[in-house]
Amino acid sequence: MKTHARVVVIGGGAVGVSTLYHLALKGWSDAVLLERAELTAGSTWHAAGLLPLFNMSYTVGQLHKYSVDLYKRLPAETGQDVSFHVTGNLRLATNAARMDEYQKYCGTANTIGVPYRVITPKQVRELWPLLDLGDGITTPKIIGALHHPDDGHIAPADLTMALRKGARMRGADIHEQTEVTAVKRTASGEWQVITNKGDIVAEHVVCATGNYARQTGRMFGINVPSIPVEHQYIVYDESPELKEYRLGGGRELAVLRESDQSYYLREERMGWILGPYESGAPARFADGVPEWFGKNLFEGDLERLLPHIEAAQRRVPSLATCGIKDIVNGPIAYTPDGSPLIGPAWGQRNLWLNEGHSFGITAAGGSGWQLAEWIVEGEPGIDMMAVDPRRYGPYTSKRYVVQKNEETYRNVFVTHFPDEERPDARPAKTSPIYDKLARMGAVFGQRYGWERANWFAPPGVEAKDQWSFRRSNYFEHVGNEALQLRLRVGVIDLTPFTKHEVTGPGAEAWLDGLVANKVPTRIGRIALCHALTRRGGIRSEFTITKVAEQHYYVVSAGAAERYDADYLQQHLPQDHSVHLRNVTMSRGCFVVAGPRSRDVLAKLVDGPLDNTAFPWLSGRIAEVGLATDVYLLRVNFVGALGWELHFPIEYAHHLFDALFQAGAEFNIAMAGMRAMESLRLEKSYRMWGSDLTPDYTPFEAGLDRFVRLNKGEFIGKAALERQLAAGVPHRFVTFEVHDVVDADPLGNEPLFDLKGNIVGRATAGYYGHALRKSLGLGYIKPEFAAVGSGIEIEILGERKRATILVDSPYDPENKDLRA
Ligand SMILES: Cc1cc2nc3c(=O)[nH]c(=O)nc-3n(C[C@H](O)[C@H](O)[C@H](O)COP(=O)(O)OP(=O)(O)OC[C@H]3O[C@@H](n4cnc5c(N)ncnc54)[C@H](O)[C@@H]3O)c2cc1C
């Protein structure tokens, strides 16, 4: 074995070998893969080999699409067949919400270029003659289906071997029976990877260890939130009916998914493979994979599968006459949200994860493609935030991950409502006033482990969501909360915000080099600043306040805590001129906003709050009521007169009570996250993570006024200059959708010109309660971006007319917030 390599990949499953292949493809042939047993010995060898293109995520959808395309060309490239059966994939729908889900998915598919068809029951029957359409009594009636003609299934071991061949052809090395047992940092900062066959020093290490992810993470001192769950499929004997159909000239049937009964079914040697996603499947190996578990399986648990077997037999009656040959029950890696962990590990330089894959055969190609891009180029080529390992934080305790992963597993096939909030492992992280909010009727959701009030049920209204793709039970109440902030005064608890203190003589220059805007130079000034990727895309959004000399307070999205903390930490100068402190947990945040907010605060704060003494985008350290050291910032994300109060967390109860006492005469009330969504859309405020992503530059996002190209160097500047010279390819727009009955845009819908060509993509949408308009935000080709232009949007399968509005259609002159 070599003693030195540029990169070591640990793990020889489909994912690790694909990573190696793609690194070699990008020219990094000095790459070595280490596998403790033999290639495919982990979950790869027993996978069912399905390659579903269907995925609700914009990012994962692109990774899967790449894989399917790659697997089709691999045999010609490597000479190794991969047994790719392009059977297509048929997902049945037996209720209206499921059809809505498929229609919503079609928007994503359109924006990433995945071919599909929404088909009728008659077409289902033509495609799948052995299937019963259902009578609506014993068997649910099929009302339609989603058909992907281009995917199917593959032999996972053959795929791994083809990738292995491709990697080796380009000079990469693979060592089997080589277990990584420990790692160290060398004096020069490289990784010393210690194995049972000797040591190897590498600049980069990639972990692709499947079920071993947690114990591999421990070697590096990180807690990887991936724990496997049992997954079973049943292998059936030959089916006489299937045989007759096939011998009679019938083509291989599409992989069938009856989502509403939570199973998949595909052909296997004239018989079937049936794979349910059942309730009660336990997480395994939470403390690590035991020594005795090599290329093993668990005992099958037929009882758990019975309801799904019966449902499948009702749908495909001939299944009842087939004998069961085998049950395959193996560990399948999961993460709490079901998406993999692809990208840099946190807190460690040159450590990369490609872990947590529950659809790892499908995702192997795409994940290797983008991870190699990230390692070699320093950045991925597409927006990878949905799979970035740093989307999780320190809250992923073992029990949290176990509970969430079991929940995610049994929910693989549930309808993925956009407002769905799953109940397990909750509440975990709460703001101090959580109980008070609950008593006020809060209906909570969870983000980054935090409980956040989504809306408040008034007295007499059940505090519960009815999840839907359409306007639902909370629509009216969210509207009232939004109007409360437009007309009177409201409070939003934004304690989960990510908060950093940056101090030291080098603070200003350092921050200036990280963001595109000019960092404030005057004490008490606030600037909205964006950290860019080297390609000029938006990676983070920071609200930066100069609190004192050499002291900045930096606020970013709550869900970006680890993502931003890690980035800031990794970029700190070596000369100790800057100190960074994450104060997310020690400061709470309330937004107090609305026309009467000044009146409320005047009762609690000394000193004037008028526009001269306390203008928009300014802040100061204040006493508020009994609370000291409150950062009182005149900013908010709702476009109203208002302040954010960032306070020492111990004052949360006091401040909350004080605000409600002071605000009683103005009918002060709480508002939740959904009201904030409505309000920010009316102001065209871009949201990090949906509207602002690495796929778009600040010029595309219409944030030109937050870019200072003449201020000196910052990351991404060269790319912005190149884009300006070449022409900005998209414009960010706000649009009104006409004739909406009950379904507003939600994001990821395609935008069309009036001839039916796709010319853009929505990134968010909601109802603007003050404007009384159905609103969307998105990116569009510049020629369609003029105010007043007519476009179309497809919402749940229906084309709707839409008109481009002025940016910030509610109060475009910002009179409210500067009042
Ligand atoms: C029953 C079942 C059916 C499935 N069906 C499908 C399907 O139809 N489609 C699909 O897309 N996915 C399917 N999956 C999921 C799929 O099997 C996995 O997502 C995929 O195999 C993960 O690949 P991987 O390379 O990440 O992990 P693995 O295949 O588990 O590989 C990890 C490798 O790392 C090695 N390793 C670990 N620690 C070390 C160390 N310290 N040193 C050296 N080597 C180490 C292990 O030996 C192992 O070979 C199924 C899973 C199960 C259980």
Side-chain angles (χ1 to χ4, degrees):
M1 190 167 75
K2 285 187 188 175
T3 54
H4 198 282
R6 189 139 197 215
V7 53
V8 161
V9 178
I10 312 176
V15 171
V17 183
S18 168
T19 310
L20 186 78
Y21 165 83
H22 284 93
L23 284 164
L25 199 62
K26 284 205 68 88
W28 278 30
S29 51
D30 186 13
V32 172
L33 183 145
L34 307 176
E35 164 54 49
R36 65 192 290 279
E38 70 230 23
L39 297 188
T40 76
S43 283
T44 297
W45 73 272
H46 53 64
L50 310 178
L51 300 175
L53 277 166
F54 178 88
N55 198 288
M56 299 297 280
S57 155
Y58 180 64
T59 299
V60 179
Q62 291 179 77
L63 301 182
H64 286 190
K65 177 176 186 303
Y66 173 89
S67 294
V68 167
D69 294 344
L70 169 72
Y71 302 166
K72 285 180 181 163
R73 47 174 208 267
L74 262 184
E77 182 195 312
T78 62
Q80 163 78 51
D81 184 37
V82 296
S83 311
F84 192 164
H85 294 228
V86 185
T87 58
N89 188 338
L90 185 63
R91 301 180 91 90
L92 306 178
T94 58
N95 59 67
R98 181 68 71 183
M99 274 323 278
D100 277 354
E101 178 189 50
Y102 292 167
Q103 294 287 5
K104 175 78 184 72
Y105 161 78
C106 294
T108 308
N110 269 331
T111 55
I112 61 181
V114 171
Y116 66 85
R117 298 191 302 156
V118 175
I119 59 174
T120 61
K122 186 163 167 275
Q123 290 169 307
V124 168
R125 185 71 203 183
E126 283 161 13
L127 253 172
W128 235 95
L130 303 190
L131 163 157
D132 186 336
L133 287 177
D135 55 9
I137 302 160
T138 55
T139 311
K141 231 183 200 152
I142 292 170
I143 61 168
L146 180 67
H147 179 221
H148 283 98
D150 289 348
D151 60 14
H153 59 92
I154 200 166
D158 294 353
L159 167 66
T160 312
M161 292 310 144
L163 291 164
R164 164 184 171 268
K165 218 166 159 193
R168 281 208 155 144
M169 277 158 51
R170 293 175 174 83
D173 281 342
I174 294 177
H175 298 281
E176 296 179 85
Q177 309 300 334
T178 307
E179 180 173 8
V180 176
T181 53
V183 284
K184 282 189 203 155
R185 278 279 189 197
T186 64
S188 56
E190 290 180 299
W191 292 110
Q192 183 179 352
V193 181
I194 298 159
T195 81
N196 57 340
K197 299 269 178 78
D199 295 1
I200 177 165
V201 172
E203 199 181 320
H204 295 264
V205 169
V206 179
C207 303
T209 58
N211 303 314
Y212 296 75
R214 268 170 78 80
Q215 64 218 74
T216 316
R218 277 200 290 273
M219 283 196 257
F220 291 91
I222 58 170
N223 172 27
V224 178
S226 172
I227 293 178
V229 178
E230 282 187 18
H231 175 50
Q232 317 185 66
Y233 61 77
I234 302 166
V235 186
Y236 285 87
D237 287 327
E238 269 191 5
S239 156
E241 288 84 351
L242 176 60
K243 199 167 178 184
E244 187 187 334
Y245 160 76
R246 290 298 301 282
L247 293 179
R251 71 181 287 262
E252 183 173 350
L253 292 165
V255 175
L256 184 74
R257 285 185 167 80
E258 186 168 7
S259 310
D260 298 318
Q261 301 296 333
S262 197
Y263 69 80
Y264 58 77
L265 183 72
R266 77 156 168 91
E267 283 190 29
E268 172 73 7
R269 296 169 205 273
M270 295 292 176
W272 304 104
I273 282 182
L274 173 69
Y277 281 81
E278 76 280 23
S279 285
R284 301 294 295 251
F285 309 148
D287 294 312
V289 183
E291 266 307 311
W292 58 263
F293 194 92
K295 215 170 165 180
N296 299 53
L297 292 170
F298 307 117
E299 191 129 331
D301 185 341
L302 201 54
E303 193 129 324
R304 262 187 357 233
L305 306 183
L306 271 180
H308 307 275
I309 297 174
E310 285 162 11
Q313 285 176 356
R314 286 192 292 270
R315 186 62 68 203
V316 183
S318 56
L319 200 61
T321 61
C322 287
I324 291 181
K325 197 153 70 179
D326 203 359
I327 298 181
V328 174
N329 183 4
I332 185 166
Y334 258 84
T335 64
D337 64 7
S339 287
L341 307 162
I342 310 168
W346 54 96
Q348 304 272 8
R349 235 168 24 86
N350 295 347
L351 175 62
W352 304 87
L353 303 184
N354 204 349
E355 299 280 22
H357 284 274
S358 51
F359 286 92
I361 307 306
T362 321
S367 68
W369 163 56
Q370 279 306 310
L371 190 59
E373 185 80 10
W374 211 330
I375 295 171
V376 175
E377 306 294 340
E379 270 160 17
I382 62 168
D383 166 14
M384 292 284 279
M385 290 200 300
V387 292
D388 192 311
R390 297 164 299 178
R391 71 188 184 277
Y392 291 105
Y395 61 91
T396 53
S397 63
K398 181 175 84 178
R399 284 181 183 78
Y400 177 88
V401 179
V402 164
Q403 289 177 40
K404 275 293 176 201
N405 288 9
E406 289 178 351
E407 180 186 53
T408 300
Y409 175 85
R410 71 173 177 274
N411 281 306
V412 161
F413 273 116
V414 296
T415 307
H416 298 288
F417 291 107
D419 50 358
E420 179 191 26
E421 297 283 357
R422 293 185 185 162
D424 286 12
R426 294 179 52 195
K429 268 163 74 177
T430 58
S431 150
I433 56 159
Y434 172 83
D435 287 343
K436 284 186 163 137
L437 300 184
R439 282 196 295 276
M440 293 169 96
V443 181
F444 290 97
Q446 195 192 46
R447 190 90 204 273
Y448 196 72
W450 285 103
E451 292 296 322
R452 306 185 311 173
N454 279 336
W455 62 284
F456 291 82
V461 172
E462 190 188 9
K464 194 169 183 239
D465 279 337
Q466 281 160 24
W467 300 328
S468 176
F469 289 87
R470 296 163 190 270
R471 293 177 191 166
S472 189
N473 62 321
Y474 49 83
F475 180 79
E476 173 195 345
H477 311 300
V478 168
N480 291 336
E481 290 168 28
L483 293 176
Q484 175 76 22
L485 275 88
R486 287 275 179 258
L487 303 174
R488 291 176 291 277
V489 54
V491 177
I492 306 177
D493 181 10
L494 288 181
T495 294
F497 263 149
T498 297
K499 313 164 203 95
H500 282 93
E501 306 267 8
V502 179
T503 53
E508 183 183 329
W510 175 66
L511 283 171
D512 245 343
L514 287 185
V515 297
N517 199 354
K518 181 82 196 87
V519 168
T521 48
R522 277 200 354 246
I523 293 173
R525 292 303 296 168
I526 300 174
L528 189 66
C529 301
H530 300 93
L532 309 183
T533 65
R534 269 183 273 150
R535 293 175 192 194
I538 298 169
R539 84 164 307 282
S540 301
E541 184 176 62
F542 298 117
T543 304
I544 301 183
T545 306
K546 183 160 181 177
V547 184
E549 240 9 284
Q550 301 187 359
H551 182 176
Y552 288 88
Y553 182 61
V554 178
V555 179
S556 54
E561 188 194 7
R562 179 174 272 167
Y563 178 80
D564 284 342
D566 186 60
Y567 185 75
L568 295 172
Q569 195 72 46
Q570 301 256 1
H571 282 82
L572 275 179
Q574 300 294 308
D575 61 6
H576 304 290
S577 63
V578 182
H579 307 286
L580 179 72
R581 200 155 63 92
N582 183 347
V583 294
T584 302
M585 294 303 186
S586 52
R587 281 197 179 264
C589 174
F590 297 148
V591 181
V592 185
R596 306 315 297 262
S597 55
R598 183 180 279 130
D599 301 321
V600 175
L601 280 177
K603 294 185 176 181
L604 301 170
V605 178
D606 291 338
L609 295 170
D610 60 88
N611 274 332
T612 319
F614 210 141
W616 171 246
L617 289 183
S618 69
R620 66 171 187 244
I621 302 178
E623 292 187 0
V624 182
L626 301 178
T628 60
D629 189 32
V630 178
Y631 295 174
L632 195 56
L633 312 180
R634 188 151 170 213
V635 283
N636 62 69
F637 201 53
V638 295
L641 172 68
W643 280 262
E644 283 181 3
L645 281 59
H646 292 252
F647 50 84
I649 198 88
E650 58 273 25
Y651 288 119
H653 282 284
H654 165 69
L655 274 180
F656 186 79
D657 294 345
L659 286 169
F660 272 78
Q661 249 170 31
E665 64 174 301
F666 310 109
N667 292 325
I668 195 167
M670 283 302 296
M673 304 314 298
R674 291 184 184 148
M676 193 169 84
E677 183 68 5
S678 167
L679 293 161
R680 70 107 186 164
L681 256 93
E682 292 182 331
K683 291 296 294 171
S684 307
Y685 289 165
R686 287 77 159 150
M687 177 79 89
W688 172 84
S690 52
D691 310 311
L692 304 181
T693 73
D695 277 354
Y696 302 101
T697 68
F699 295 143
E700 290 173 286
L703 298 174
D704 308 42
R705 66 188 185 283
F706 301 109
V707 178
R708 295 278 185 277
L709 285 176
N710 54 3
K711 74 165 184 171
E713 283 311 309
F714 60 87
I715 297 170
K717 180 177 169 184
L720 292 190
E721 286 170 339
R722 279 196 301 275
Q723 187 177 67
L724 272 190
V728 178
H730 301 102
R731 293 285 175 199
F732 190 82
V733 288
T734 304
F735 53 89
E736 173 187 4
V737 187
H738 303 288
D739 303 320
V740 167
V741 181
D742 64 351
D744 300 298
L746 296 164
N748 275 334
E749 293 85 1
L751 304 176
F752 300 87
D753 65 12
L754 299 182
K755 294 184 196 132
N757 305 305
I758 294 183
V759 293
R761 163 179 173 248
T763 50
Y766 218 64
Y767 185 72
H769 285 275
L771 284 176
R772 299 184 183 214
K773 289 181 192 306
S774 183
L775 297 174
L777 304 179
Y779 290 88
I780 198 161
K781 290 186 180 162
E783 56 269 35
F784 300 95
V787 172
S789 294
I791 54 166
E792 288 189 341
I793 180 169
E794 196 161 284
I795 302 177
L796 304 182
E798 274 188 65
R799 283 291 166 92
K800 298 278 182 191
R801 296 296 292 253
T803 306
I804 307 293
L805 301 177
V806 27
D807 201 62
S808 182
Y810 176 83
D811 183 24
E813 288 157 17
N814 289 329
K815 287 187 183 144
D816 277 11
L817 57 95
R818 293 180 196 274

Coordinates of all heavy atoms in Angstrom, one line a residue, residues 12 25 73 107 118 143 148 165 189 227 234 253 281 304 332 367 466 505 510 519 529 576 589 617 663 682 703 732 740:
G12 N -16.0 0.9 0.9 CA -16.1 0.4 -0.5 C -17.5 0.0 -0.8 O -17.7 -1.1 -1.5
L25 N -12.0 10.9 -12.1 CA -12.5 11.5 -13.3 C -12.1 13.0 -13.4 O -11.9 13.6 -14.4 CB -14.1 11.4 -13.3 CG -14.8 11.6 -14.6 CD1 -14.4 10.5 -15.6 CD2 -16.3 11.4 -14.3
R73 N -24.5 5.1 -19.1 CA -23.4 5.2 -20.0 C -22.2 4.4 -19.4 O -21.2 4.2 -20.1 CB -23.0 6.7 -20.3 CG -22.9 7.6 -19.2 CD -22.4 9.0 -19.7 NE -21.8 9.6 -18.6 CZ -22.4 10.5 -17.7 NH1 -23.6 10.8 -17.9 NH2 -21.7 11.0 -16.7
G107 N -43.6 20.0 -10.6 CA -43.0 21.3 -10.7 C -41.5 21.2 -10.5 O -40.7 21.7 -11.3
V118 N -48.1 12.3 -15.9 CA -49.2 12.1 -14.9 C -50.3 11.3 -15.8 O -50.7 11.8 -16.8 CB -49.8 13.4 -14.3 CG1 -51.0 13.1 -13.5 CG2 -48.7 14.1 -13.5
I143 N -56.9 6.6 -8.7 CA -57.4 7.8 -9.4 C -56.5 8.4 -10.4 O -56.8 9.3 -11.1 CB -57.9 8.8 -8.4 CG1 -56.8 9.4 -7.5 CG2 -59.0 8.3 -7.5 CD1 -57.1 10.6 -6.7
H148 N -42.6 7.6 -14.4 CA -41.3 8.0 -14.8 C -40.8 6.9 -15.8 O -40.6 5.7 -15.4 CB -40.2 8.0 -13.7 CG -40.3 9.2 -12.8 ND1 -41.0 9.2 -11.7 CD2 -39.8 10.4 -13.0 CE1 -40.9 10.4 -11.1 NE2 -40.2 11.2 -11.9
K165 N -14.0 -0.2 -11.8 CA -13.2 -0.3 -13.1 C -12.9 1.1 -13.6 O -11.7 1.4 -14.0 CB -14.0 -1.1 -14.1 CG -13.1 -2.0 -14.9 CD -13.9 -3.0 -15.7 CE -13.0 -3.5 -16.8 NZ -13.7 -4.3 -17.8
G189 N -0.4 19.1 9.2 CA -1.9 19.3 9.1 C -2.5 18.3 8.2 O -3.7 18.4 7.8
I227 N -27.9 6.8 11.8 CA -28.1 5.5 12.5 C -28.9 4.7 11.5 O -30.0 5.1 11.1 CB -28.7 5.7 13.8 CG1 -27.7 6.5 14.8 CG2 -29.1 4.3 14.4 CD1 -28.3 6.7 16.2
I234 N -39.2 -8.8 0.5 CA -39.5 -10.2 0.3 C -39.2 -10.7 -1.1 O -39.6 -9.9 -2.0 CB -41.0 -10.5 0.6 CG1 -41.4 -10.0 2.0 CG2 -41.4 -11.9 0.4 CD1 -42.8 -9.8 2.2
L253 N -42.4 -5.2 -16.4 CA -43.3 -4.2 -15.8 C -42.5 -3.2 -15.1 O -41.5 -3.4 -14.5 CB -44.3 -4.9 -14.8 CG -45.3 -5.9 -15.5 CD1 -45.9 -6.8 -14.5 CD2 -46.3 -5.1 -16.2
A281 N -40.2 -0.7 12.4 CA -38.8 -1.1 12.1 C -37.9 -0.4 13.0 O -37.9 0.8 13.2 CB -38.5 -0.7 10.7
R304 N -44.5 -7.9 10.8 CA -44.5 -6.4 10.6 C -44.9 -6.1 9.2 O -45.5 -5.1 8.9 CB -43.1 -5.9 10.8 CG -42.9 -5.3 12.1 CD -41.6 -4.6 12.4 NE -40.6 -4.5 11.4 CZ -39.3 -4.9 11.7 NH1 -38.9 -5.4 12.8 NH2 -38.4 -4.8 10.7
I332 N -30.2 -0.2 6.9 CA -30.2 0.9 5.9 C -29.9 2.2 6.6 O -30.6 2.6 7.5 CB -31.5 0.9 5.1 CG1 -31.6 1.8 3.9 CG2 -32.7 1.1 6.0 CD1 -32.7 1.5 3.0
S367 N -24.0 11.7 -5.7 CA -23.3 12.2 -4.5 C -21.8 12.2 -4.8 O -21.1 13.1 -4.4 CB -23.6 11.4 -3.3 OG -23.1 10.1 -3.4
Q466 N -54.1 21.0 9.9 CA -54.6 20.0 8.9 C -53.7 20.2 7.7 O -53.8 21.2 7.0 CB -56.1 20.3 8.6 CG -57.0 19.7 9.6 CD -58.4 20.3 9.5 OE1 -58.8 20.8 8.5 NE2 -59.1 20.4 10.7
P505 N -9.1 43.6 17.1 CA -8.6 44.7 16.2 C -8.8 44.3 14.7 O -8.9 45.2 13.9 CB -7.1 44.8 16.5 CG -6.8 43.6 17.3 CD -8.1 43.1 18.0
W510 N -11.6 41.6 8.6 CA -11.9 40.2 8.4 C -13.3 40.0 7.8 O -13.5 39.4 6.8 CB -11.7 39.4 9.7 CG -12.0 38.0 9.6 CD1 -11.4 37.1 8.8 CD2 -13.1 37.3 10.2 NE1 -12.1 35.8 9.0 CE2 -13.1 36.0 9.8 CE3 -14.1 37.7 11.1 CZ2 -14.0 35.0 10.3 CZ3 -15.0 36.8 11.6 CH2 -15.0 35.5 11.2
V519 N -19.1 46.4 5.6 CA -19.5 46.2 7.0 C -19.6 47.6 7.6 O -18.8 48.5 7.3 CB -18.3 45.3 7.6 CG1 -18.5 45.3 9.1 CG2 -18.4 43.9 7.1
C529 N -25.5 41.8 4.9 CA -24.3 41.4 4.2 C -24.5 39.9 3.8 O -25.0 39.1 4.5 CB -23.1 41.5 5.1 SG -22.9 43.2 5.7
H576 N -4.7 35.7 15.5 CA -5.5 36.0 16.7 C -6.0 37.4 16.8 O -6.3 37.9 17.9 CB -4.7 35.6 17.9 CG -4.2 34.2 17.9 ND1 -5.0 33.1 18.1 CD2 -2.9 33.7 17.7 CE1 -4.3 32.0 18.0 NE2 -3.0 32.3 17.8
C589 N -34.3 36.3 21.2 CA -34.7 37.4 20.3 C -36.2 37.5 20.2 O -36.9 36.5 19.8 CB -34.1 37.2 18.9 SG -34.7 38.4 17.7
L617 N -32.3 50.7 10.4 CA -30.9 50.2 10.3 C -29.9 50.8 11.3 O -28.8 51.0 11.0 CB -30.4 50.3 8.9 CG -31.1 49.4 7.8 CD1 -30.4 49.6 6.5 CD2 -31.0 47.9 8.2
G663 N -48.0 46.6 26.1 CA -48.8 46.6 24.8 C -50.2 46.3 24.9 O -51.0 46.4 23.9
E682 N -44.8 39.9 1.0 CA -45.3 41.2 0.5 C -44.3 42.2 0.4 O -44.4 43.2 -0.3 CB -46.4 41.7 1.6 CG -47.6 40.8 1.6 CD -48.7 41.3 2.6 OE1 -48.3 42.0 3.6 OE2 -49.9 41.1 2.3
L703 N -30.0 42.0 -5.4 CA -29.5 42.5 -4.1 C -28.3 43.4 -4.5 O -27.3 43.6 -3.7 CB -29.0 41.4 -3.2 CG -30.1 40.5 -2.7 CD1 -29.6 39.3 -1.9 CD2 -31.2 41.3 -1.9
F732 N -34.5 38.3 -10.2 CA -35.4 37.9 -9.1 C -36.7 38.7 -9.2 O -36.6 40.0 -9.3 CB -34.7 38.2 -7.7 CG -35.5 37.6 -6.6 CD1 -35.3 36.2 -6.3 CD2 -36.4 38.3 -5.8 CE1 -36.0 35.7 -5.2 CE2 -37.1 37.8 -4.7 CZ -36.9 36.4 -4.4
V740 N -56.6 32.4 -8.2 CA -56.3 31.3 -7.2 C -57.5 31.1 -6.4 O -58.1 32.0 -5.8 CB -55.1 31.7 -6.3 CG1 -54.9 30.7 -5.2 CG2 -53.8 31.7 -7.2

